[in-house]
Each structure stands twice: as structure tokens, then as C-alpha cells.
Amino acid sequence: MPTHTPHYPDLLFAAAARLRRWEGRLMDLLQRSGYAELRPSLVMREAEGENRVRFFDGDHLVALRWDFTEALARMLVRRFPEPPPRVSYAGAVFRRPASSWEPVERFEVGCERLSVDPGERAEADLELAQLLMAVPGALGLQGGLLHLGSAALLAKPLEAENLPETLAARVAACLSRRAPHRAFEALEGHPAARRLTEHLERLSQPPDGPELLDTLGEGPYADLLAEERSHLARALVRLTPLLPEGLTLQVDPADVSGLGFYTGPTLRLWAPGAQRELAAGGRYDGLFPQLGRPWSAAGFCVRLSALLDLAEARPDLFEGSEP
Amino acid sequence: MTKDLMIALPKGRLGEALMARLEGTPLALDPGALRSRVLRIPTATPGLSALLLKGADLPRYVSAGIAALGVVGSDTLDELDADVLEVRDLGLGVCRLSLCAPGGVSLEDLARRPHLRLGTKFVRSTAAWLREQGLTAELVPLQSSVELAPVLGLADAIVDLVETGGTLRAHGLMELHTLKRTSARLIASRGSFLSEPRRMDALIRCLAEAAA
């Protein structure tokens, strides 16, 4: 088997300065919006999982922090009887990547919006989207695309059709590749094959404006997804007048990359010319109940490592000659 | 600033068939450059060029975002871990990925062998099919002339692409089972598609219409 050297990035002068500057600007932005910083330990006791960087601390197998959201959730459950409503974080996470050229150590800044009252969810989702809209400006990024999606647009039809878990995962993988023709092959013989494929064709449209929601309204699961469509439509109406210059807001209903984790609206930030998303997040109401607390939560994470790569590859996308 | 875009096209029969269909469209390749040995060919659309690549390398150029779009066989795509979008089945170069064995040998005969050896270029697809069927086999990786393997005793059977079946018959082999249908797929760089959806959608439509 060939051996790949994992990518542990050393940041030299300009990149190191850029990272520190961006972290500072984003944490300022979050603090001004009421998000207080928490710093979970770099070492996590939950070492199970394929993509973790693990080592023995004496007799105990532990892992380097692989995900801020989970590290924060475990910390909040351990230390708080009621959740603080707004928390933020900055630092590195360590994950074995799917591709050898991706870094193991990744720098992130992010925030989580927590609540006990389910009635606060819709406003919390809008608050986060609005906050993410301010991120490109804080980083000096000229232009960007904010994509709104919803994990439920696929999860609910799959559940309604009683698809076995493995087949549902295959269908989600096909949608993530925008390949409804592959989903049709995977669903061969299933009574809902045509219906689900038609739905996936609608979801696979390129990201666009509210008219995409109209397309879903004419599809086979129009009634089942009425609430999600209406939530996305309301979000577009509320957020569009607030868009900063250079930022475009679109609906991307094929955003299912975190389908096992997200339970509701999702957010992605892209820039023209970027090969990876620059920020991602959404509503994940399943995590805290799994940890024994009836709290709902949503958040987003700005991928500073992806932004550092973008600043090297496309400096023209940033204000001034030195991003 | 709008960056120039590149489309990756496969060398070989599929590429030639596709280039013939692109003639007269905004994606037509410059005939002068095609006659030369250069591998980056201007098209009829300014700011858009084509890269001529081997199929196995092509998805890597697309997943890295160097080429915004590409055309590649689904058989090749299924053997790689490329993070690309597969936006259209172009319906070109349709073949079957099939299990083939010498005449008189049945699928049941093969399944009963304690140590089955399968020669193939398509190791991942074959391994996935074996898993689905609950079978085990030693996979003998081969790059070309796979039909020789069972004839000369290197393998008991082969998994290979079949279009008409002529080469199989010439070597006394028979198709026992079709693993999957394969065809040319239009793939897109995830980053290009999501960050410039309108520009990419126009190109995708143009390429898909030309290929139809």
C-alpha cells in the first residue's frame, strides 16, 4: 500500500498573521453579537471513530479534538444545568481526511445557538444566517454565495417511503453527487423508485432563488415538505433585504452532506472560484437529546484552513493585495 | 475577475466520438490545435479550453477544480475516490460490466470453487459485487488483454467491459452475469458548480445537448 504523508500545515509569516487576524475579527464579530467564547480541551475522551487522531494517555485511549460542536456539547452537558444561549469557539480540530492532500489539522471559528424552548428555533436559524452574512465582510472577502438548504427536504421523503437505512444512505450519496440517475439505479425494484428519483431531479437543480421552491411545490412530495418550503421562503424574504454588497443568497436543496447530523435548515458559504465551502452549519436538534438534555441547537463553523488556501490561490478575491 | 474555464475530455474512442458531436457548437475544439501535440486545446468560446486526458487521470483534474467539467466513463469513475458531481448520464459509449468465463462454466460452478480467481481491471466494482453476493475471490488486477487470463490459466473468470461480445467470443468466453451498465458521465467540480452555478449550468446544458 502506498504511504501518504498526512498534511500537518506549518503556517509561515504571512499565513500565520492572516490566521491570527481573521480569528480576531471573527471572534470580535461573534462577541458583539452576544456569543461568549468557550474553549473545550484539545483532548477528548471519546476516541471511537474512524477519522480520529488517537493516542494512549497512560492506559486510556484518547483523541485529539476532532469536532468543536461535539466537544462543546459534551462540555455544556457536563457543566451547565441550562444551556447558555450563545457560545463561540476558535482553534484547531484534527481529523483524518478523506483525501490525502487535505490537512489533518484544521483551523476553525464558529458559534452555536442553543435553546430549551422549541418555539425559538425559527428566529435562531435566521439569526445565524444573518450572522454568517457578515462573515465575508469581516474577512475582506469580495463577494460570496450563501446557500440555504434543509436536511428535511430529503430526510422526510426517505422516511415516508420506509427506505432501509443503507438504501437511504446510498440515495443521499447520489444526491450529494447530484446524480439522480444513480439513485434510480440504486432504487431498482423499490415501489417508490420513480417518485423518489423525480424528487431528486428537482433537488439536484443548480442553487437558485425562490423559484426553486416553486419547483419543489409541483413535485411528488409537495404536501409533505410544505413546512420546509415555507420556512425557506420566509428566510429568503427576511434575509434578502439585509444582504451586504457582493453577497448572493440562494437555495441549494441538494445540500445533504451532513444528513446524518443536521435535522433542519442548513447554511453553506461559498466564494466564486473556491473549491471548498468556506463555512457550513445548520440545525442539529438530535445531538443534545442523545446526550440526555432536551435542548435544541444550531450553529456554523468558518473553515479558516479553506480560506487560507483560497487566499493563496485566489488573492484577487480578497480586498487589497494582502488579505 | 472571471477565471478561464477548462473542460476535461477523455482521449480515445469516447473522446473522439464526443469531439465529433461538439463540432459546430460553442464548445467545438480548435482543429489546428487538435492536429498538433498540445493537450490544452482552445474552443470556439473565448475563455474556455479543453484538456485531453487519460480517463483514469481525468476525475482528479475535476475534483481538484482545475477542470470545471469533464466527461468520463462511469466504469472509470467507480474505481476512484474522486469527490466530483456527476451531473448527467450522457448515454454515450454504453457497455456492460460483466462476469465472463470459458464456455460451459456456470455462475454456480464459479461460486462453488474454494479459491475463485477473477481477473479484472475493475477491482472496486468487482469487490463490491462480490460483497453483495456474499462471495469471496482472489482478484487478479490486470490493465489490458484481460480475456487472455482465463484462457491461459491466470484466472478462472474475468470481470470486464462488454460492448458487442465479439472479443469474448473470439477467446471462447461467455457472459454469465451483468454487474452493471456503464456509460459516459458528465462530471463537474463541486466547487465550480456551487460557486458559479449559472455559468456552469449553461455549459452543462450545452455539452449535454451536443452529446445527445
Side-chain angles (χ1 to χ4, degrees):
Chain A
M1 285 289 285
T3 307
H4 299 289
T5 307
H7 181 183
Y8 299 113
D10 290 321
L11 300 186
L12 301 188
F13 308 108
R18 201 173 285 154
L19 176 64
R20 184 167 292 278
R21 193 162 58 243
W22 282 348
E23 265 191 7
R25 287 183 193 169
L26 291 176
M27 291 306 280
D28 278 351
L29 170 71
L30 293 171
Q31 193 183 18
R32 285 200 309 273
S33 308
Y35 288 76
E37 184 176 2
L38 287 175
R39 211 170 176 88
S41 169
L42 190 60
V43 176
M44 294 177 71
R45 292 180 196 283
E46 294 75 24
E48 297 297 317
E50 278 181 6
N51 62 353
R52 287 159 205 193
V53 178
R54 296 181 281 191
F55 59 96
F56 277 100
D57 174 17
D59 292 337
H60 301 286
L61 184 63
V62 294
L64 290 178
R65 183 176 59 212
W66 72 87
D67 178 62
F68 263 111
T69 299
E70 185 159 344
L72 275 171
R74 292 184 181 279
M75 178 196 203
L76 290 165
V77 165
R78 272 196 313 273
R79 293 180 168 268
F80 295 87
E82 294 291 322
R86 294 175 179 84
V87 296
S88 63
Y89 58 82
V93 292
F94 297 79
R95 267 199 301 271
R96 296 202 183 281
S99 308
S100 57
W101 60 84
E102 287 181 76
V104 173
E105 182 181 9
R106 305 152 197 225
F107 307 107
E108 298 181 345
V109 165
C111 60
E112 314 291 345
R113 178 78 172 82
L114 305 142
S115 57
V116 181
D117 177 6
E120 290 179 11
R121 286 179 194 167
E123 279 306 311
D125 293 338
L126 284 170
E127 177 185 316
L128 285 167
Q130 207 174 327
L131 196 51
L132 186 52
M133 280 161 48
V135 166
L139 299 173
L141 187 62
Q142 291 178 320
L145 297 111
L146 179 59
H147 289 169
L148 300 182
S150 175
L153 292 178
L154 181 63
K156 280 176 87 170
L158 294 181
E159 203 181 306
E161 300 291 3
N162 287 318
L163 249 66
E165 203 174 316
T166 48
L167 186 54
R170 281 180 71 185
V171 171
C174 294
L175 180 58
S176 176
R177 297 183 72 160
R178 292 181 195 253
H181 48 278
R182 288 265 190 179
F184 188 63
E185 287 169 11
L187 288 163
E188 190 184 356
H190 193 280
R194 288 209 175 275
R195 208 162 38 237
L196 278 168
T197 306
E198 188 195 332
H199 182 55
L200 261 64
E201 279 165 359
R202 291 171 191 274
L203 295 179
S204 297
Q205 301 296 310
D208 210 338
E211 52 274 26
L212 255 184
L213 297 173
D214 298 340
T215 312
L216 292 180
E218 294 155 9
Y221 301 102
D223 294 340
L224 182 69
L225 300 173
E227 191 185 326
E228 282 72 23
R229 288 188 289 116
S230 134
H231 181 93
L232 282 168
R234 280 199 307 271
L236 286 175
V237 169
R238 283 275 296 274
L239 295 171
T240 302
L242 309 173
L243 276 174
E245 194 181 341
L247 190 68
T248 305
L249 182 64
Q250 291 179 323
V251 176
D252 181 12
D255 176 18
V256 289
S257 55
L259 194 65
F261 179 71
Y262 293 116
T263 54
T266 54
L267 302 162
R268 305 266 161 184
L269 180 68
W270 290 85
Q275 290 309 317
R276 280 185 285 163
E277 64 202 13
L278 305 176
R283 172 151 296 281
Y284 54 97
D285 285 336
L287 180 59
F288 282 101
Q290 276 172 26
L291 299 174
R293 297 295 174 95
W295 303 343
S296 62
F300 67 77
C301 161
V302 182
R303 306 197 192 290
L304 292 182
S305 297
L307 276 150
L308 287 171
D309 289 349
L310 186 66
E312 291 288 337
R314 295 288 306 271
D316 57 294
L317 296 177
F318 293 83
E319 282 167 10
S321 55
E322 175 55 49
Chain B
M1 187 182 85
T2 306
K3 208 180 152 201
D4 285 0
L5 285 183
M6 285 188 269
I7 299 178
L9 299 178
K11 290 179 174 180
R13 263 195 304 177
L14 175 60
E16 283 161 18
L18 194 63
M19 280 181 247
R21 291 176 187 230
L22 291 177
E23 280 174 22
T25 75
L27 304 180
L29 274 62
D30 179 73
L34 264 180
R35 280 193 296 273
S36 74
R37 293 172 69 91
V38 296
L39 298 173
R40 184 174 172 176
I41 315 281
T43 69
T45 303
L48 181 70
S49 54
L51 295 175
L52 301 184
L53 299 169
K54 275 188 78 169
D57 297 333
L58 192 151
R60 300 197 191 285
Y61 280 82
V62 178
S63 69
I66 292 163
L69 290 172
V71 176
V72 67
S74 59
D75 52 304
T76 305
L77 205 52
D78 290 348
E79 293 298 306
L80 301 169
D81 256 332
D83 180 25
V84 292
L85 304 180
E86 189 185 310
V87 291
R88 292 281 195 288
D89 178 349
L90 294 177
L92 281 176
V94 176
C95 289
R96 306 178 293 279
L97 185 68
S98 295
L99 174 70
C100 311
V105 175
S106 69
L107 184 55
E108 291 70 31
D109 293 338
L110 292 177
R112 274 199 296 269
R113 295 205 180 179
H115 187 133
L116 174 64
R117 293 168 307 156
L118 295 179
T120 188
K121 188 180 165 186
F122 305 98
V123 171
R124 279 181 68 157
S125 296
T126 306
W129 176 74
L130 286 168
R131 267 197 308 277
E132 278 171 23
Q133 302 297 313
L135 296 172
T136 54
E138 176 190 345
L139 297 183
V140 182
L142 295 168
Q143 287 304 307
S144 61
S145 306
V146 181
E147 296 85 357
L148 283 176
V151 175
L152 300 177
L154 183 63
D156 301 307
I158 60 171
V159 173
D160 204 14
L161 287 181
V162 181
E163 190 175 1
T164 62
T167 316
L168 287 180
R169 284 191 293 278
H171 290 85
L173 301 175
M174 290 184 62
E175 238 178 312
L176 298 184
H177 179 78
T178 302
L179 276 65
K180 62 172 103 169
R181 169 190 172 274
T182 68
S183 60
R185 306 293 161 97
L186 178 54
I187 60 173
S189 146
R190 190 177 288 275
S192 305
F193 185 88
L194 290 176
S195 65
E196 299 176 275
R198 292 212 171 102
R199 195 177 178 202
M200 292 287 289
D201 192 43
L203 275 177
I204 288 167
R205 284 174 192 276
C206 187
L207 229 160
E209 278 167 23

